[in-house]
Amino acid sequence: MDVQDIVNTVSQKAGLDQAVTEKVVGTIFSVLEHEAEGTSVSGFFARISGADGLAQKYDVMAAGAAGSGGGLLSSLEGVLGGALGEKTGALINGVAVLKASGLDMAQIRQAGTTLIQQAEVAAGPELTNEVLGSVPSLKAHLGL
């Protein structure tokens, strides 16, 4: 299974268009890439062809990734990310990107649930749970 298969399934099950779905999947993968500890994330990406490329395309730590265009939210993200380190910054930016995509929490939850299910099929439940377990606050922010 490659990343496009995952995007297609998430799009279908969550009822989202392809472009929004690709951004959601890429954003979640980017948060995992920045926050997951150890080498498990590289093994996870190795089992899902194209996942690392999609994570880089939607890199939550790239300048302006949150899409807020400045203002208070952007300032808070910068301060918190700088004060608390890259890991917290990646999660804050990722959540901001998901919320800025125009999706409501039910849609984000459905997309996240489907993404996790597809990742378990592609990378195996043990490795997927290990990667997600190293970023526990991501599941909380996705409402899972």
Side-chain angles (χ1 to χ4, degrees):
M1 176 180 300
D2 68 14
V3 76
Q4 190 58 53
D5 294 330
I6 292 174
V7 169
N8 293 341
T9 302
V10 172
S11 176
Q12 178 186 21
K13 290 191 175 186
L16 305 174
D17 70 42
Q18 287 284 317
V20 170
T21 306
E22 181 180 290
K23 185 174 187 175
V24 168
V25 172
T27 298
I28 293 170
F29 281 162
S30 178
V31 170
L32 290 175
E33 181 178 61
H34 285 285
E35 292 211 6
E37 296 180 7
T39 58
S40 60
V41 74
S42 60
F44 176 77
F45 281 155
R47 294 187 186 186
I48 304 172
S49 175
D52 55 347
L54 194 62
Q56 292 168 11
K57 180 177 179 179
Y58 294 100
D59 186 355
V60 298
M61 295 306 287
S68 60
L72 180 61
L73 180 59
S74 178
S75 298
L76 287 173
E77 289 166 359
V79 169
L80 288 173
L84 300 173
E86 177 182 335
K87 294 177 75 139
T88 302
L91 180 60
I92 291 168
N93 288 351
V95 170
V97 167
L98 292 175
K99 289 181 178 177
S101 67
L103 302 178
D104 62 32
M105 278 312 296
Q107 291 171 309
I108 293 171
R109 188 175 300 116
Q110 178 63 45
T113 299
T114 305
L115 171 57
I116 291 169
Q117 290 167 347
Q118 293 302 299
E120 286 177 344
V121 171
E126 187 174 303
L127 181 56
T128 300
N129 288 328
E130 181 181 331
V131 170
L132 289 171
S134 68
V135 190
S137 43
L138 178 63
K139 288 178 88 170
H141 282 290
L142 292 176
L144 305 174

